[in-house]
PDB file of all heavy atoms in Angstrom:
ATOM      1  N   ILE A  64      -7.521  32.431  -8.592  1.00 92.00           N
ATOM      2  CA  ILE A  64      -6.365  32.278  -7.664  1.00 92.00           C
ATOM      3  C   ILE A  64      -6.876  31.788  -6.332  1.00 92.00           C
ATOM      4  O   ILE A  64      -6.282  30.858  -5.742  1.00 92.00           O
ATOM      5  CB  ILE A  64      -5.582  33.583  -7.556  1.00 92.00           C
ATOM      6  CG1 ILE A  64      -4.890  33.922  -8.870  1.00 92.00           C
ATOM      7  CG2 ILE A  64      -4.581  33.480  -6.414  1.00 92.00           C
ATOM      8  CD1 ILE A  64      -4.254  35.312  -8.901  1.00 92.00           C
ATOM      9  N   VAL A  65      -7.964  32.395  -5.821  1.00 93.00           N
ATOM     10  CA  VAL A  65      -8.521  32.010  -4.551  1.00 93.00           C
ATOM     11  C   VAL A  65      -8.984  30.553  -4.596  1.00 93.00           C
ATOM     12  O   VAL A  65      -8.724  29.753  -3.684  1.00 93.00           O
ATOM     13  CB  VAL A  65      -9.667  32.936  -4.135  1.00 93.00           C
ATOM     14  CG1 VAL A  65     -10.410  32.377  -2.914  1.00 93.00           C
ATOM     15  CG2 VAL A  65      -9.124  34.339  -3.833  1.00 93.00           C
ATOM     16  N   ALA A  66      -9.671  30.175  -5.653  1.00 95.00           N
ATOM     17  CA  ALA A  66     -10.183  28.807  -5.796  1.00 95.00           C
ATOM     18  C   ALA A  66      -9.034  27.781  -5.846  1.00 95.00           C
ATOM     19  O   ALA A  66      -9.072  26.742  -5.191  1.00 95.00           O
ATOM     20  CB  ALA A  66     -11.053  28.683  -7.017  1.00 95.00           C
ATOM     21  N   VAL A  67      -8.031  28.089  -6.644  1.00 95.00           N
ATOM     22  CA  VAL A  67      -6.888  27.185  -6.767  1.00 95.00           C
ATOM     23  C   VAL A  67      -6.146  27.076  -5.456  1.00 95.00           C
ATOM     24  O   VAL A  67      -5.751  25.995  -5.003  1.00 95.00           O
ATOM     25  CB  VAL A  67      -5.960  27.615  -7.920  1.00 95.00           C
ATOM     26  CG1 VAL A  67      -4.627  26.881  -7.876  1.00 95.00           C
ATOM     27  CG2 VAL A  67      -6.651  27.461  -9.255  1.00 95.00           C
ATOM     28  N   SER A  68      -5.978  28.200  -4.760  1.00 94.00           N
ATOM     29  CA  SER A  68      -5.304  28.196  -3.446  1.00 94.00           C
ATOM     30  C   SER A  68      -6.094  27.366  -2.443  1.00 94.00           C
ATOM     31  O   SER A  68      -5.521  26.652  -1.628  1.00 94.00           O
ATOM     32  CB  SER A  68      -5.114  29.615  -2.937  1.00 94.00           C
ATOM     33  OG  SER A  68      -4.273  30.340  -3.807  1.00 94.00           O
ATOM     34  N   ALA A  69      -7.412  27.486  -2.506  1.00 96.00           N
ATOM     35  CA  ALA A  69      -8.242  26.696  -1.589  1.00 96.00           C
ATOM     36  C   ALA A  69      -8.095  25.199  -1.872  1.00 96.00           C
ATOM     37  O   ALA A  69      -8.037  24.359  -0.951  1.00 96.00           O
ATOM     38  CB  ALA A  69      -9.707  27.114  -1.722  1.00 96.00           C
ATOM     39  N   LEU A  70      -8.028  24.832  -3.150  1.00 96.00           N
ATOM     40  CA  LEU A  70      -7.830  23.426  -3.524  1.00 96.00           C
ATOM     41  C   LEU A  70      -6.463  22.903  -3.023  1.00 96.00           C
ATOM     42  O   LEU A  70      -6.367  21.770  -2.544  1.00 96.00           O
ATOM     43  CB  LEU A  70      -7.955  23.226  -5.024  1.00 96.00           C
ATOM     44  CG  LEU A  70      -9.362  23.212  -5.567  1.00 96.00           C
ATOM     45  CD1 LEU A  70      -9.351  23.176  -7.107  1.00 96.00           C
ATOM     46  CD2 LEU A  70     -10.123  22.013  -5.046  1.00 96.00           C
ATOM     47  N   ILE A  71      -5.448  23.735  -3.155  1.00 95.00           N
ATOM     48  CA  ILE A  71      -4.129  23.356  -2.669  1.00 95.00           C
ATOM     49  C   ILE A  71      -4.193  23.104  -1.152  1.00 95.00           C
ATOM     50  O   ILE A  71      -3.658  22.108  -0.648  1.00 95.00           O
ATOM     51  CB  ILE A  71      -3.069  24.454  -2.982  1.00 95.00           C
ATOM     52  CG1 ILE A  71      -2.814  24.506  -4.489  1.00 95.00           C
ATOM     53  CG2 ILE A  71      -1.747  24.168  -2.238  1.00 95.00           C
ATOM     54  CD1 ILE A  71      -2.008  25.707  -4.933  1.00 95.00           C
ATOM     55  N   GLY A  72      -4.814  23.997  -0.430  1.00 95.00           N
ATOM     56  CA  GLY A  72      -4.981  23.830   1.011  1.00 95.00           C
ATOM     57  C   GLY A  72      -5.771  22.570   1.372  1.00 95.00           C
ATOM     58  O   GLY A  72      -5.401  21.853   2.311  1.00 95.00           O
ATOM     59  N   LEU A  73      -6.796  22.298   0.614  1.00 96.00           N
ATOM     60  CA  LEU A  73      -7.604  21.120   0.874  1.00 96.00           C
ATOM     61  C   LEU A  73      -6.797  19.811   0.657  1.00 96.00           C
ATOM     62  O   LEU A  73      -6.785  18.921   1.483  1.00 96.00           O
ATOM     63  CB  LEU A  73      -8.847  21.108  -0.045  1.00 96.00           C
ATOM     64  CG  LEU A  73      -9.759  19.870   0.064  1.00 96.00           C
ATOM     65  CD1 LEU A  73     -10.398  19.811   1.424  1.00 96.00           C
ATOM     66  CD2 LEU A  73     -10.793  19.911  -1.050  1.00 96.00           C
ATOM     67  N   ILE A  74      -6.109  19.744  -0.470  1.00 95.00           N
ATOM     68  CA  ILE A  74      -5.327  18.550  -0.768  1.00 95.00           C
ATOM     69  C   ILE A  74      -4.192  18.377   0.259  1.00 95.00           C
ATOM     70  O   ILE A  74      -3.954  17.275   0.737  1.00 95.00           O
ATOM     71  CB  ILE A  74      -4.749  18.626  -2.219  1.00 95.00           C
ATOM     72  CG1 ILE A  74      -5.901  18.508  -3.224  1.00 95.00           C
ATOM     73  CG2 ILE A  74      -3.742  17.470  -2.429  1.00 95.00           C
ATOM     74  CD1 ILE A  74      -5.451  18.749  -4.651  1.00 95.00           C
ATOM     75  N   THR A  75      -3.551  19.467   0.619  1.00 94.00           N
ATOM     76  CA  THR A  75      -2.497  19.390   1.617  1.00 94.00           C
ATOM     77  C   THR A  75      -3.019  18.925   2.957  1.00 94.00           C
ATOM     78  O   THR A  75      -2.395  18.092   3.625  1.00 94.00           O
ATOM     79  CB  THR A  75      -1.813  20.779   1.757  1.00 94.00           C
ATOM     80  OG1 THR A  75      -1.310  21.198   0.483  1.00 94.00           O
ATOM     81  CG2 THR A  75      -0.675  20.731   2.744  1.00 94.00           C
ATOM     82  N   SER A  76      -4.193  19.399   3.329  1.00 94.00           N
ATOM     83  CA  SER A  76      -4.803  18.974   4.599  1.00 94.00           C
ATOM     84  C   SER A  76      -5.172  17.494   4.549  1.00 94.00           C
ATOM     85  O   SER A  76      -4.964  16.765   5.513  1.00 94.00           O
ATOM     86  CB  SER A  76      -6.058  19.795   4.878  1.00 94.00           C
ATOM     87  OG  SER A  76      -5.712  21.142   5.067  1.00 94.00           O
ATOM     88  N   LEU A  77      -5.734  17.041   3.432  1.00 93.00           N
ATOM     89  CA  LEU A  77      -6.090  15.636   3.299  1.00 93.00           C
ATOM     90  C   LEU A  77      -4.834  14.757   3.340  1.00 93.00           C
ATOM     91  O   LEU A  77      -4.850  13.672   3.923  1.00 93.00           O
ATOM     92  CB  LEU A  77      -6.859  15.408   1.990  1.00 93.00           C
ATOM     93  CG  LEU A  77      -8.292  15.933   1.971  1.00 93.00           C
ATOM     94  CD1 LEU A  77      -8.898  15.803   0.574  1.00 93.00           C
ATOM     95  CD2 LEU A  77      -9.135  15.230   3.003  1.00 93.00           C
ATOM     96  N   GLU A  78      -3.780  15.234   2.713  1.00 93.00           N
ATOM     97  CA  GLU A  78      -2.523  14.461   2.747  1.00 93.00           C
ATOM     98  C   GLU A  78      -2.027  14.340   4.179  1.00 93.00           C
ATOM     99  O   GLU A  78      -1.590  13.263   4.616  1.00 93.00           O
ATOM    100  CB  GLU A  78      -1.493  15.139   1.852  1.00 93.00           C
ATOM    101  CG  GLU A  78      -0.199  14.385   1.792  1.00 93.00           C
ATOM    102  CD  GLU A  78       0.853  15.071   0.914  1.00 93.00           C
ATOM    103  OE1 GLU A  78       0.580  16.181   0.398  1.00 93.00           O
ATOM    104  OE2 GLU A  78       1.916  14.484   0.766  1.00 93.00           O
ATOM    105  N   GLY A  79      -2.075  15.419   4.931  1.00 89.00           N
ATOM    106  CA  GLY A  79      -1.648  15.342   6.336  1.00 89.00           C
ATOM    107  C   GLY A  79      -2.548  14.481   7.193  1.00 89.00           C
ATOM    108  O   GLY A  79      -2.071  13.811   8.108  1.00 89.00           O
ATOM    109  N   LEU A  80      -3.822  14.467   6.884  1.00 88.00           N
ATOM    110  CA  LEU A  80      -4.771  13.643   7.636  1.00 88.00           C
ATOM    111  C   LEU A  80      -4.566  12.146   7.343  1.00 88.00           C
ATOM    112  O   LEU A  80      -4.551  11.327   8.248  1.00 88.00           O
ATOM    113  CB  LEU A  80      -6.211  14.068   7.258  1.00 88.00           C
ATOM    114  CG  LEU A  80      -7.325  13.369   7.958  1.00 88.00           C
ATOM    115  CD1 LEU A  80      -7.290  13.678   9.456  1.00 88.00           C
ATOM    116  CD2 LEU A  80      -8.652  13.792   7.363  1.00 88.00           C
TER     117      LEU A  80
END
Side-chain angles (χ1 to χ4, degrees):
I64 293 171
V65 169
V67 168
S68 297
L70 282 173
I71 292 170
L73 176 67
I74 293 172
T75 303
S76 297
L77 288 173
E78 183 181 3
L80 182 66

